[in-house]
Amino acid sequence: MAFDIEMIKEVYKKFPERIESARKLLGRPLTLTEKILYSHLHSDQSLSNFERGKSYVDFAPDRVAMQDATAQMALLQFMQSGRPKVAVPSTVHCDHLITAKNGAEEDLAFANKESKEVFDFLGSVSNKYGIGFWKPGAGIIHQVVLENYAFPGGMMIGTDSHTVNAGGLGMIAIGVGGADACDVMAGLAWELKMPKLIGVKLTGKLNGWTAPKDVILKVAGILTVKGGTDAVVEYFGEGATSMSCTGKGTICNMGAEIGATTSTFGYDDSMSRYLKATGRADVAALADGIKQHLTADPEVYADPAKYFDQVIEINLSELEPHVNGPFTPDLATPISQLKEAALKNGWPTKISVGLLGSCTNSSYEDISRAVSLAKQVSGKNLKAKSEYLINPGSEQIRYTIKRDGFLDVFNEIGAKVFTNACGPCIGMWDRMGAEKQEKNTIIHSFNRNFAKRADGNPNTYAFVASPEIVTAMAIAGDLTFNPLTDTLTNEKGEKVKLDPPSGDELPKKGFEVKDPGYQAPAADGSKVNVAVAPDSSRLQLLDPFSAWEGTDLKGLKLLIKAKGKCTTDHISMAGPWLKFRGHLDNISNNMLIGAVNFFNEKTDAVKNQLTGAYESVPKVQRQYKAKNMGSIVVGDENYGEGSSREHAAMEPRHLGVRAVLVKSFARIHETNLKKQGMLALTFANKADYDKVQEDDNIDIIGLTTFAPGTPLTLVLNHKDGSSDSIKANHSYNAQQIEWFKAGGALNIIRANIKA
């Protein structure tokens, strides 16, 4: 029987009536996205014709998922809420804190020793509060969720931006910060701006070398890293139904790279097959009973332009494999043009490493298609030219592919299999020689390829492709190789061509696993003790942030004016810093150390207005905090792109930054700032970014009358005695303004519990 089957029955029981009420109110057919959203309105939220991109709406998600790096802060916050048990089904997945270095067995043993304190904390907190716990080595959160928890028509939130992966099983699954997860686990409503809708019509059918990954690589090239902001992407058409469930998950997963709130597909036979294959025939039967409600109304897909804010059409029969990058996941190049682009741009053409896996591409189908190419190495007397590394998505996947002989094939080409964990995808790769910072190229089936992300080397050119293309490129060892047209010279000096990949959507013998790595919580957690050592360097109990003083903020020091791309990786790096995700003060030592200072084009070197010296960003900010001086961070477009990590908001808050003023925000980061009681502001006139000077002291005027839709005034007081007065917009509603006044949303929860 599936996890939480009674909850799923209850969701489906209410579906028809709620959808009919929404359809009647709106007076038109509904998209799948609208059906799921309107059927998950919170009980306190009145039914209304919400305006897309403007109306804030309260929802009641069905479940919460957390990975170990972000779960620490989420659960440290939940412990302050006063609740004895989570209000909705919730899980913790230990997948981030495992370094990839020597291989699965050795790396897992090292992680269990190095992070024992954190894993014990997460296990005990989960046990106490009724949370399902997936141990280190069990698998990557999003693959495990797809295999065990995702269900068509459901709504979930997760403390990881790639929570959206569950859209492959027809969910509305959204990445959030830990404070949002804390709200839902505490039984409160979860607020979201009603998203705009982007429809992607898929015609034709994938063939040959083209894979589901190429769909989202193409879409990323069309929409760019911010084109999906505040929107849900809904895929449909004959091309969608012809695709596997896990292929759909891959597409939804990388929707995070276009800034989309989430992505989803309508329920179809591929989802039914996947549910049955993963031991959830009961869920498939329930979904079959209401399947007309688990996809859009027929009129919507017949005339999509009438119901979506934007429509994109892609013919899968004509789609070429793509390779995206380097340094950004939306730089999309068709494989036929890659050689020309590489030579023109001076990209290193020798591929040093090919990496397969991550939450994006670690399914049985992905690995079976990759192994069909690996088999050709010996079959065609070839020798793989690049190092080849693999992260299986879950213990169930690893056990099954071992049983089916796939790992033996990979071993023959010299592949190294890492733990069932994120590894290199999130910077947990102890890569030999990376510290030399040599210029090199890697190609992987991950989702992100920001500078320094995988191995910490700013000169590693990382390219994103399907598992099939990654494998072929690793065999060739050359970025200019096109497996669709080019030949390779084998060990006998013969010219040979790789056959197109093939593989099984699901294992013919079924999935198999001995120990999936799941720990159920105690039936009664009241006697479970959760201990945090006061001298721990890994964990730190939280103190509430201070409430707003009730006055305008004056004399704020400019901490940094960030130039260009400033992702959550730049604001709060991952990699070695992941070990401090449960210790706010220690991890704050990485605050904004990756951001480029506009005034000197350097990272982690800002002017200290107290001394005039250039010092590390956190070091300068700690000096301001010691003297009770607030500060402000200024940024460029799509500030906070990337991960859901709320540490990127909590660290500035902890160190005394009061406001972040940018040209535009990525959705999750803006919400995280609001939740922590920060001011998230945007330039009313983007050209005013140029008026901000290095020695500015800045006043924020209008806070005593802070109101939705009313801009604030910022006065830039320059060193020469002159000043500029500029307008700053914000998207705060009445409730979010209360978060600011209280010093953070958690302070309100705590006060309500005590009351």
Side-chain angles (χ1 to χ4, degrees), residues 177-180 545 568 571 591-592 633 639-640 644-654 657-662 664-682 731-732 736 739-740 743-745:
D180 279 355
F545 290 132
T568 48
I571 305 167
M591 184 190 74
L592 285 158
V633 169
Y639 183 88
S644 70
R645 70 192 67 156
E646 65 182 339
H647 299 76
M650 294 187 79
E651 292 172 32
R653 180 73 168 103
H654 172 65
V657 177
R658 303 301 300 271
V660 179
L661 172 67
V662 300
S664 64
F665 281 107
R667 176 190 64 84
I668 302 176
H669 186 63
E670 181 180 20
T671 301
N672 285 344
L673 289 168
K674 292 177 178 179
K675 281 278 183 177
Q676 300 303 334
M678 294 273 282
L679 283 171
L681 309 175
T682 55
S731 60
Y732 286 75
Q736 293 167 350
W739 297 346
F740 166 73

Side-chain angles (χ1 to χ4, degrees), residues 452 570 592-597 600-606 617:
K452 303 203 291 187
H570 295 90
L592 285 158
I593 62 176
V596 176
N597 183 357
N600 60 10
E601 304 278 336
K602 295 180 179 178
T603 58
D604 204 23
V606 295
V617 184

Side-chain angles (χ1 to χ4, degrees), residues 7 10-11 14-15 18 35-46 50 57-64 87-89 151 153-157 171-172 174 180-181 183-192:
M7 177 268 283
E10 195 63 26
V11 171
K14 297 173 182 175
F15 236 69
R18 291 183 173 185
K35 288 182 179 182
I36 300 175
L37 291 176
Y38 275 94
S39 66
H40 283 85
L41 295 179
H42 191 268
S43 56
D44 293 336
Q45 175 66 65
S46 57
F50 303 112
V57 185
D58 285 341
F59 292 100
D62 301 313
R63 66 175 314 109
V64 173
V88 301
F151 66 97
M155 183 181 195
M156 70 176 285
I157 61 170
M171 292 195 89
I172 289 292
I174 300 173
D180 279 355
D183 283 357
V184 175
M185 289 190 293
L188 303 178
W190 177 63
E191 182 187 75
L192 177 73

